[in-house]
Amino acid sequence: MTKKSSGLGTFGGVYTPSVLTILGVIMYLRFGWVVGNVGLVGTLIIVTLATSITFLTSLSISAIATDRVVRVGGAYYMIGRSLGLEIGGAVGIPLYLAQALSVALYTIGFAESVVATFPQLNQLYVALITTVLVAVLALTSAEIAIRAQYAIMAAIVLSLISLLLGNPLDIPNPQMFQTPASGEPFWTVFAVFFPAVTGIMAGVSMSGDLRDPSRSIPVGTLAAVGTGYLIYMGLPLILAMRADTQSLLDNPLIMKQMSLWGPAILLGVWGATLSSALGSILGAPRVLQALARDGIFPRWMSFLGQGSGAGDEPRIGTAVTLGIATATVCIGELNLIAPVLTMFFLTTYLVLNAAAGIEGFLQSPSFRPTFRVHWSLSLLGALGCLGVMFLIDPVATVIAGIIVLGIYFWLQQRELISAWGDVRRGLWLAILRFCIFKLGTDEDTKNWRPHILVLSGAPTKHWSSIELADAFTHNRGLITVATILPLGSRNLAQQTQLEATIRDYLEQRSVQALVRVFMAADPFVGAQRLIEAYGLGSLVPNTILLGDNESPERRSGYCENIAAIHAGGRSIVILRENRDRGFGARRRIDVWWGGLKANGSLMLLLAYLLRTEIDWREATINLKLVVKDQNAARSAQSNLARAIADLRIEAQPQVLVADGRTFHQILHDSSEKADLIFLGMAVPGDTQDYTQYYENLQNMAKGLPTTLFVLAAPNFAFEEILSNSL
């Protein structure tokens, strides 16, 4: 793993910004409010629960950080490289906004404490001026900003020592001996407190400026979480022993009154709020820069990814962040902003934990972190985040989910391309393996779907076959587009390249299909071998879609192919396309019915599936039955209507009387205006000369609209699919 020769170390780059963001505005200005609302025990539970979630997330972060080089973007970079650009962007954009809003949270906290000391000042103006000054410092240099935080840390340490050595307020009944106030609900208080433990993002977001991110992030992050927990468990004890409930609720600067030297608390508050604001305004632009460089934003926003100077400082991103923070400062309400941040940070934590948990569960050979965490701990952290989000505010959780999903689908529509692999392929392979073994070996009628192998030749010349297969499956079955090429016409590399070209061609036309190019000396023998060998376990094509063969010299081999495919237990659909008419207006489908058994059921089932496709949804299915005379027509009409009603398929029964006419004449007279015709085929073993039979079938279909010859697979009860619920 390559290390940068220069950059920030563990203490200055991760531990310092993290611990200073943890020990921030919530600790100084809202800890008393938390204790006053839920009491000492309730506060200790909140601290432990919130820190547990942060700790589990820190473990997940440490695992990911020690598996790969973590560059600019911190948490977003980790998620994007683990779960893909779409999920990374869906979480990264809210994460950026959360960090941008954090700047306002901390500068408002700073202004609130300043105005409490100097009432003549205007809180809004103080917050705005502070926000601008913090941004100017961040624009100057990240390293200078980090150095400034050492002085701030000294001020915080001094304030905590002064508080520890201070005296109780002059009150008869401290809070620890009182019943908690019947004020805000537990989870509302939790939501206000939780941003106090989200400081780990300050260090992670500086990943691009670290000398050795893989070492610094785990050590610095876990040390900061541990430091924050120890301090947060001690502070409630001091507050509860030295102040009463009402004082804790009414006085945000209660710590100042009980400290040995009151001004030390002011120095701590100001230092903590300024350092936290500084950490956020250093981290947020770097997340924005990483998002822009990965192409998450539209192309016209690519300027947000630009860096300045030798340190690649995101000055444009800092200016944008300053604008967002300034607008938020104008809201000016700390308790309103904190819960919003909580939801954004919990969403980020949830996905980070899920990423590490999935990577660990799949045990991909490429995932080899030096800091190992069992996948169950990461998934526990993810579930903890989700549970807490719903407990805090179910409506806000759903809204956050909608925002993340909305961004995800927006990014998915843009079909972002990454230059790295992610965990999704491994996840799908794990699911596929599980499902393949659960499928069993035999198809059942209740769950039958057409899995179609299209022997189309060149897709550009036989697009109608692929279009028809796509309409039949309607994204519920599988399609494989196969091409048989002469043996030796391509080497293996060229064959693979041709498959990729066909796949791209299909994707451009929004057809989801697998692609296979097969080499054979004879196309019919090649087709048989492909059908015999193709598939995965029990998941094999159950329907073969062929093009009609007009060549007399090849008709015999073609019919032998049909017989072999049928003997192999596959259904066959042969497309005889009328080149002049194509599929016409897609408004009329004629099914020539021979009863519910075998071909009749499959034809009606395919017609039904075709009507579920958007281009065919206005089509009428005409179920046509030929009888000898008028006497037979009456009973046939009622039987056909009853069968259609029982099958719950919208179709029009049409009983046709032969009156001495041949089927050839009836077919042409009745279906000349159809858009698609279904005709059943005889089973190869039921006729002595199948080649002659097929030639007669072709002659009968000459001049007709586009026609499908259908031969149902043997020993499969297609009628049960229609009889059961479709």
Side-chain angles (χ1 to χ4, degrees):
M1 189 175 291
T2 305
K3 296 182 181 181
K4 293 183 286 188
S5 58
S6 62
L8 301 170
T10 302
F11 186 78
V14 180
Y15 178 80
T16 299
S18 295
V19 82
L20 292 184
T21 306
I22 290 172
L23 306 179
V25 62
I26 301 296
M27 180 183 79
Y28 282 107
L29 299 182
R30 289 297 180 269
F31 223 134
W33 178 86
V34 171
V35 177
N37 273 292
V38 298
L40 175 60
V41 175
T43 302
L44 296 179
I45 292 172
I46 285 177
V47 169
T48 301
L49 180 59
T51 307
S52 296
I53 292 173
T54 303
F55 175 69
L56 290 172
T57 307
S58 299
L59 293 178
S60 298
I61 288 172
S62 299
I64 297 174
T66 57
D67 176 64
R68 58 176 65 92
V69 177
V70 181
R71 305 193 187 279
V72 175
Y76 156 71
Y77 186 93
M78 293 177 176
I79 294 170
R81 270 57 181 176
S82 291
L83 299 181
L85 275 180
E86 294 90 349
I87 297 177
V91 177
I93 292 173
L95 172 62
Y96 164 71
L97 292 174
Q99 290 189 315
L101 293 175
S102 293
V103 179
L105 174 79
Y106 300 128
T107 54
I108 290 170
F110 173 79
E112 188 177 303
S113 62
V114 169
V115 172
T117 308
F118 305 102
Q120 67 273 23
L121 297 177
N122 182 287
Q123 180 174 315
L124 176 60
Y125 293 156
V126 172
L128 287 172
I129 292 170
T130 305
T131 303
V132 173
L133 291 177
V134 166
V136 169
L137 181 58
L139 283 167
T140 304
S141 170
E143 196 161 351
I144 293 174
I146 290 295
R147 287 174 183 171
Q149 293 190 99
Y150 296 142
I152 294 171
M153 179 176 282
I156 291 175
V157 171
L158 176 63
S159 71
L160 292 174
I161 293 173
S162 178
L163 178 64
L164 182 64
L165 298 177
N167 298 308
L169 299 180
D170 185 16
I171 54 172
N173 190 9
Q175 197 279 337
M176 67 183 304
F177 299 113
Q178 296 178 327
T179 303
S182 57
E184 299 294 338
F186 179 88
W187 292 109
T188 301
V189 177
F190 181 93
V192 172
F193 172 79
F194 190 79
V197 297
T198 59
I200 58 172
M201 289 301 166
V204 174
S205 297
M206 295 298 295
S207 55
D209 296 87
L210 299 175
R211 187 181 308 120
D212 186 0
S214 296
R215 179 184 178 278
S216 296
I217 289 176
V219 174
T221 302
L222 291 172
V225 171
T227 302
Y229 183 65
L230 290 175
I231 293 172
Y232 283 168
M233 291 298 282
L235 280 177
L237 290 170
I238 296 174
L239 294 170
M241 287 190 298
R242 296 184 184 178
D244 65 307
T245 299
Q246 202 57 45
S247 298
L248 291 171
L249 291 172
D250 294 342
N251 188 356
L253 279 171
I254 190 71
M255 291 183 187
K256 180 184 175 186
Q257 293 180 250
M258 62 178 68
S259 295
L260 179 65
W261 183 51
I265 297 297
L266 290 178
L267 291 176
V269 172
W270 296 341
T273 50
L274 290 176
S275 68
S276 298
L278 197 54
S280 295
I281 207 164
L282 285 173
R286 283 160 172 78
V287 175
L288 185 66
Q289 186 181 50
L291 288 165
R293 287 180 174 178
D294 282 345
I296 298 297
F297 299 124
R299 186 171 297 176
W300 64 270
M301 296 177 68
S302 60
F303 68 92
L304 295 173
Q306 294 177 12
S308 303
D312 196 29
E313 301 281 348
R315 292 179 181 171
I316 296 176
T318 303
V320 172
T321 305
L322 173 60
I324 294 173
T326 302
T328 309
V329 163
C330 295
I331 298 173
E333 179 53 51
L334 206 62
N335 286 16
L336 181 63
I337 298 171
V340 176
L341 296 184
T342 295
M343 285 299 169
F344 281 147
F345 279 121
L346 278 169
T347 301
T348 304
Y349 285 9
L350 188 156
V351 180
L352 273 172
N353 281 306
I358 293 170
E359 292 264 29
F361 175 76
L362 294 177
Q363 295 183 345
S364 302
S366 62
F367 187 64
R368 303 184 305 278
T370 56
F371 188 100
R372 293 195 170 274
V373 178
H374 195 271
W375 60 267
S376 61
L377 292 176
S378 296
L379 293 186
L380 178 63
L383 291 174
C385 292
L386 185 61
V388 166
M389 288 174 72
F390 274 104
L391 288 169
I392 291 172
D393 190 338
V395 175
T397 301
V398 172
I399 292 172
I402 291 172
I403 291 171
V404 170
L405 286 174
I407 297 172
Y408 172 79
F409 288 122
W410 170 62
L411 295 175
Q412 197 175 50
Q413 287 291 325
R414 292 177 55 209
E415 298 181 348
L416 300 177
I417 299 174
S418 63
W420 60 88
D422 55 60
V423 76
R424 289 176 295 180
R425 183 175 177 84
L427 178 61
W428 301 140
L429 284 173
I431 294 173
L432 176 63
R433 181 184 183 278
F434 175 82
C435 294
I436 286 293
F437 285 110
K438 288 294 181 182
L439 273 177
T441 56
D442 298 321
E443 279 194 293
D444 66 274
T445 56
K446 186 174 181 60
N447 296 292
W448 183 87
R449 294 287 187 277
H451 301 313
I452 301 177
L453 176 64
V454 185
L455 290 167
S456 65
T460 52
K461 296 180 180 179
H462 302 91
W463 181 251
S464 296
S465 298
I466 299 169
E467 185 181 12
L468 187 67
D470 188 47
F472 282 146
T473 59
H474 198 46
N475 293 330
R476 290 183 177 87
L478 295 176
I479 304 173
T480 300
V481 176
T483 300
I484 311 296
L485 295 178
L487 195 64
S489 62
R490 300 280 198 288
N491 59 34
L492 186 58
Q494 292 170 329
Q495 183 177 330
T496 303
Q497 180 58 46
L498 180 58
E499 287 182 349
T501 302
I502 296 173
R503 197 176 298 113
D504 290 342
Y505 182 81
L506 297 174
E507 288 177 358
Q508 289 169 10
R509 285 153 184 78
S510 301
V511 173
Q512 290 184 323
L514 305 172
V515 177
R516 187 64 69 233
V517 173
F518 198 76
M519 315 289 284
D522 179 86
F524 297 139
V525 174
Q528 291 180 38
R529 289 178 179 171
L530 175 63
I531 294 167
E532 289 170 1
Y534 183 70
L536 185 61
S538 60
L539 192 62
V540 297
N542 56 24
T543 306
I544 312 302
L545 180 57
L546 306 171
D548 191 23
N549 192 303
E550 298 285 357
S551 174
E553 63 271 14
R554 300 178 67 85
R555 188 175 291 127
S556 177
Y558 184 80
C559 290
E560 289 176 7
N561 213 30
I562 292 173
I565 295 170
H566 182 263
R570 316 299 171 86
S571 296
I572 301 171
V573 178
I574 299 174
L575 172 63
R576 181 183 176 86
E577 185 181 7
N578 185 314
R579 298 285 181 180
D580 296 328
R581 295 176 57 174
F583 293 117
R586 293 178 170 83
R587 291 293 182 271
R588 177 178 161 184
I589 302 170
D590 283 2
V591 178
W592 287 89
W593 179 254
L596 198 57
K597 295 291 183 180
N599 289 347
S601 294
L602 179 57
M603 289 192 297
L604 188 54
L605 186 62
L606 292 174
Y608 165 79
L609 292 173
L610 195 60
R611 278 194 73 246
T612 64
E613 206 274 334
I614 189 168
D615 290 336
W616 289 89
R617 64 184 176 184
E618 301 297 329
T620 299
I621 299 174
N622 296 315
L623 200 58
K624 295 178 177 288
L625 178 64
V626 179
V627 296
K628 290 183 179 180
D629 52 42
Q630 198 65 42
N631 291 331
R634 283 189 289 271
S635 60
Q637 183 73 27
S638 60
N639 291 337
L640 197 57
R642 190 181 309 112
I644 291 172
D646 292 341
L647 297 176
R648 303 177 305 284
I649 289 181
E650 293 183 14
Q652 300 297 322
Q654 292 185 3
V655 176
L656 305 171
V657 179
D659 282 338
R661 293 178 297 168
T662 64
F663 180 73
H664 181 280
Q665 291 174 313
I666 298 169
L667 174 65
H668 279 259
D669 290 343
S670 181
S671 290
E672 63 178 354
K673 294 183 180 179
D675 294 310
L676 184 64
I677 302 169
F678 282 85
L679 284 175
M681 291 175 61
V683 174
D686 292 350
T687 179
Q688 289 185 345
D689 189 346
Y690 201 73
T691 303
Q692 183 60 50
Y693 162 78
Y694 189 75
E695 183 180 352
N696 294 338
L697 190 64
Q698 288 180 311
N699 290 332
M700 184 170 59
K702 279 184 179 178
L704 285 175
T706 298
T707 303
L708 295 180
F709 300 144
V710 177
L711 179 59
N715 304 319
F716 188 80
F718 286 103
E719 66 274 9
E720 291 185 12
I721 304 176
L722 292 171
S723 300
N724 294 329
S725 176
L726 283 166

CSV table of all heavy atoms in Angstrom, one decimal, residues 477-501:
chain,number,residue,atom,x,y,z
A,477,GLY,N,-39.1,-13.1,-16.8
A,477,GLY,CA,-38.4,-14.3,-17.2
A,477,GLY,C,-37.0,-13.9,-17.7
A,477,GLY,O,-36.6,-12.7,-17.7
A,478,LEU,N,-36.3,-14.9,-18.2
A,478,LEU,CA,-34.9,-14.6,-18.7
A,478,LEU,C,-34.9,-14.7,-20.2
A,478,LEU,O,-35.6,-15.6,-20.8
A,478,LEU,CB,-33.9,-15.6,-18.1
A,478,LEU,CG,-33.7,-15.5,-16.5
A,478,LEU,CD1,-32.8,-16.6,-16.1
A,478,LEU,CD2,-33.1,-14.2,-16.2
A,479,ILE,N,-34.1,-13.9,-20.8
A,479,ILE,CA,-33.8,-14.0,-22.2
A,479,ILE,C,-32.4,-14.2,-22.5
A,479,ILE,O,-31.5,-13.5,-21.9
A,479,ILE,CB,-34.3,-12.7,-23.0
A,479,ILE,CG1,-35.7,-12.4,-22.7
A,479,ILE,CG2,-34.1,-12.9,-24.5
A,479,ILE,CD1,-36.2,-11.0,-23.2
A,480,THR,N,-32.0,-15.1,-23.3
A,480,THR,CA,-30.7,-15.2,-23.8
A,480,THR,C,-30.7,-15.1,-25.3
A,480,THR,O,-31.4,-15.8,-26.0
A,480,THR,CB,-30.0,-16.6,-23.4
A,480,THR,OG1,-30.0,-16.7,-22.0
A,480,THR,CG2,-28.6,-16.7,-23.9
A,481,VAL,N,-29.9,-14.2,-25.8
A,481,VAL,CA,-29.8,-14.0,-27.3
A,481,VAL,C,-28.5,-14.7,-27.7
A,481,VAL,O,-27.4,-14.4,-27.3
A,481,VAL,CB,-29.7,-12.5,-27.6
A,481,VAL,CG1,-29.5,-12.3,-29.1
A,481,VAL,CG2,-31.0,-11.7,-27.2
A,482,ALA,N,-28.7,-15.7,-28.6
A,482,ALA,CA,-27.6,-16.6,-29.0
A,482,ALA,C,-27.4,-16.5,-30.5
A,482,ALA,O,-28.3,-16.3,-31.3
A,482,ALA,CB,-27.9,-18.0,-28.6
A,483,THR,N,-26.1,-16.5,-30.9
A,483,THR,CA,-25.7,-16.5,-32.3
A,483,THR,C,-24.8,-17.6,-32.5
A,483,THR,O,-23.8,-17.8,-31.8
A,483,THR,CB,-25.0,-15.1,-32.6
A,483,THR,OG1,-25.9,-14.1,-32.3
A,483,THR,CG2,-24.6,-15.1,-34.1
A,484,ILE,N,-25.0,-18.4,-33.6
A,484,ILE,CA,-24.2,-19.5,-34.0
A,484,ILE,C,-23.3,-19.1,-35.1
A,484,ILE,O,-23.8,-18.6,-36.2
A,484,ILE,CB,-25.0,-20.8,-34.4
A,484,ILE,CG1,-26.0,-21.1,-33.3
A,484,ILE,CG2,-24.0,-22.0,-34.6
A,484,ILE,CD1,-25.5,-21.5,-32.0
A,485,LEU,N,-22.0,-19.1,-34.9
A,485,LEU,CA,-21.1,-18.7,-36.0
A,485,LEU,C,-20.3,-19.9,-36.5
A,485,LEU,O,-20.1,-20.9,-35.8
A,485,LEU,CB,-20.1,-17.6,-35.4
A,485,LEU,CG,-20.7,-16.3,-35.0
A,485,LEU,CD1,-19.6,-15.4,-34.4
A,485,LEU,CD2,-21.4,-15.6,-36.1
A,486,PRO,N,-19.8,-19.8,-37.8
A,486,PRO,CA,-19.0,-20.9,-38.3
A,486,PRO,C,-17.7,-21.1,-37.5
A,486,PRO,O,-17.1,-20.2,-37.0
A,486,PRO,CB,-18.6,-20.4,-39.7
A,486,PRO,CG,-19.7,-19.4,-40.0
A,486,PRO,CD,-20.0,-18.7,-38.7
A,487,LEU,N,-17.4,-22.4,-37.3
A,487,LEU,CA,-16.2,-22.8,-36.6
A,487,LEU,C,-15.0,-22.1,-37.1
A,487,LEU,O,-14.7,-22.2,-38.4
A,487,LEU,CB,-16.1,-24.3,-36.6
A,487,LEU,CG,-15.1,-24.9,-35.5
A,487,LEU,CD1,-15.7,-24.6,-34.1
A,487,LEU,CD2,-15.0,-26.4,-35.8
A,488,GLY,N,-14.2,-21.5,-36.3
A,488,GLY,CA,-12.9,-20.9,-36.8
A,488,GLY,C,-13.1,-19.4,-37.3
A,488,GLY,O,-12.1,-18.8,-37.6
A,489,SER,N,-14.3,-18.9,-37.3
A,489,SER,CA,-14.5,-17.6,-37.8
A,489,SER,C,-14.1,-16.5,-36.8
A,489,SER,O,-13.9,-15.4,-37.2
A,489,SER,CB,-15.9,-17.3,-38.2
A,489,SER,OG,-16.8,-17.5,-37.1
A,490,ARG,N,-14.0,-16.9,-35.5
A,490,ARG,CA,-13.6,-15.9,-34.5
A,490,ARG,C,-12.7,-16.7,-33.5
A,490,ARG,O,-12.9,-17.9,-33.3
A,490,ARG,CB,-14.7,-15.4,-33.7
A,490,ARG,CG,-15.8,-14.6,-34.4
A,490,ARG,CD,-15.3,-13.2,-34.7
A,490,ARG,NE,-16.4,-12.3,-35.0
A,490,ARG,CZ,-17.1,-12.3,-36.2
A,490,ARG,NH1,-16.7,-13.2,-37.1
A,490,ARG,NH2,-18.0,-11.4,-36.4
A,491,ASN,N,-11.7,-16.0,-33.0
A,491,ASN,CA,-10.9,-16.6,-31.9
A,491,ASN,C,-11.7,-16.3,-30.6
A,491,ASN,O,-12.7,-15.6,-30.6
A,491,ASN,CB,-9.5,-16.2,-31.8
A,491,ASN,CG,-9.3,-14.7,-31.7
A,491,ASN,OD1,-10.2,-14.0,-31.0
A,491,ASN,ND2,-8.3,-14.1,-32.3
A,492,LEU,N,-11.2,-16.8,-29.4
A,492,LEU,CA,-11.9,-16.6,-28.2
A,492,LEU,C,-12.0,-15.1,-27.8
A,492,LEU,O,-13.1,-14.7,-27.3
A,492,LEU,CB,-11.2,-17.4,-27.1
A,492,LEU,CG,-11.9,-17.4,-25.7
A,492,LEU,CD1,-13.3,-18.1,-25.9
A,492,LEU,CD2,-11.1,-18.2,-24.7
A,493,ALA,N,-11.0,-14.4,-28.0
A,493,ALA,CA,-11.0,-12.9,-27.7
A,493,ALA,C,-12.1,-12.2,-28.5
A,493,ALA,O,-12.8,-11.4,-28.0
A,493,ALA,CB,-9.6,-12.3,-27.8
A,494,GLN,N,-12.1,-12.5,-29.8
A,494,GLN,CA,-13.0,-11.9,-30.7
A,494,GLN,C,-14.5,-12.3,-30.4
A,494,GLN,O,-15.4,-11.5,-30.5
A,494,GLN,CB,-12.7,-12.2,-32.2
A,494,GLN,CG,-11.4,-11.6,-32.7
A,494,GLN,CD,-11.0,-12.2,-34.0
A,494,GLN,OE1,-11.3,-13.4,-34.3
A,494,GLN,NE2,-10.3,-11.4,-34.8
A,495,GLN,N,-14.6,-13.6,-30.0
A,495,GLN,CA,-16.0,-14.0,-29.6
A,495,GLN,C,-16.5,-13.3,-28.3
A,495,GLN,O,-17.6,-12.9,-28.3
A,495,GLN,CB,-15.8,-15.5,-29.3
A,495,GLN,CG,-17.1,-16.2,-28.9
A,495,GLN,CD,-17.0,-17.7,-28.7
A,495,GLN,OE1,-16.1,-18.3,-29.3
A,495,GLN,NE2,-17.8,-18.3,-27.8
A,496,THR,N,-15.6,-13.1,-27.4
A,496,THR,CA,-15.9,-12.3,-26.2
A,496,THR,C,-16.3,-10.9,-26.5
A,496,THR,O,-17.2,-10.3,-26.0
A,496,THR,CB,-14.8,-12.4,-25.1
A,496,THR,OG1,-14.5,-13.7,-24.9
A,496,THR,CG2,-15.2,-11.7,-23.9
A,497,GLN,N,-15.5,-10.3,-27.4
A,497,GLN,CA,-15.7,-8.9,-27.8
A,497,GLN,C,-17.1,-8.8,-28.5
A,497,GLN,O,-17.8,-7.8,-28.3
A,497,GLN,CB,-14.6,-8.4,-28.7
A,497,GLN,CG,-14.8,-7.0,-29.2
A,497,GLN,CD,-14.9,-6.0,-28.1
A,497,GLN,OE1,-14.1,-6.1,-27.1
A,497,GLN,NE2,-15.8,-5.1,-28.1
A,498,LEU,N,-17.4,-9.8,-29.4
A,498,LEU,CA,-18.7,-9.8,-30.1
A,498,LEU,C,-19.9,-9.9,-29.1
A,498,LEU,O,-20.9,-9.2,-29.2
A,498,LEU,CB,-18.8,-10.9,-31.1
A,498,LEU,CG,-20.1,-11.0,-31.9
A,498,LEU,CD1,-20.3,-9.7,-32.7
A,498,LEU,CD2,-20.0,-12.2,-32.9
A,499,GLU,N,-19.7,-10.7,-28.1
A,499,GLU,CA,-20.8,-10.8,-27.0
A,499,GLU,C,-21.0,-9.4,-26.3
A,499,GLU,O,-22.1,-9.0,-26.1
A,499,GLU,CB,-20.4,-11.8,-26.0
A,499,GLU,CG,-20.5,-13.3,-26.5
A,499,GLU,CD,-20.2,-14.3,-25.5
A,499,GLU,OE1,-19.7,-13.9,-24.4
A,499,GLU,OE2,-20.5,-15.5,-25.7
A,500,ALA,N,-19.9,-8.8,-26.1
A,500,ALA,CA,-19.9,-7.4,-25.4
A,500,ALA,C,-20.6,-6.4,-26.3
A,500,ALA,O,-21.4,-5.6,-25.9
A,500,ALA,CB,-18.6,-6.9,-25.0
A,501,THR,N,-20.3,-6.5,-27.6
A,501,THR,CA,-21.0,-5.6,-28.6
A,501,THR,C,-22.5,-5.8,-28.7
A,501,THR,O,-23.3,-4.9,-28.7
A,501,THR,CB,-20.3,-5.8,-30.0
A,501,THR,OG1,-18.9,-5.6,-29.9
A,501,THR,CG2,-20.9,-4.8,-31.0
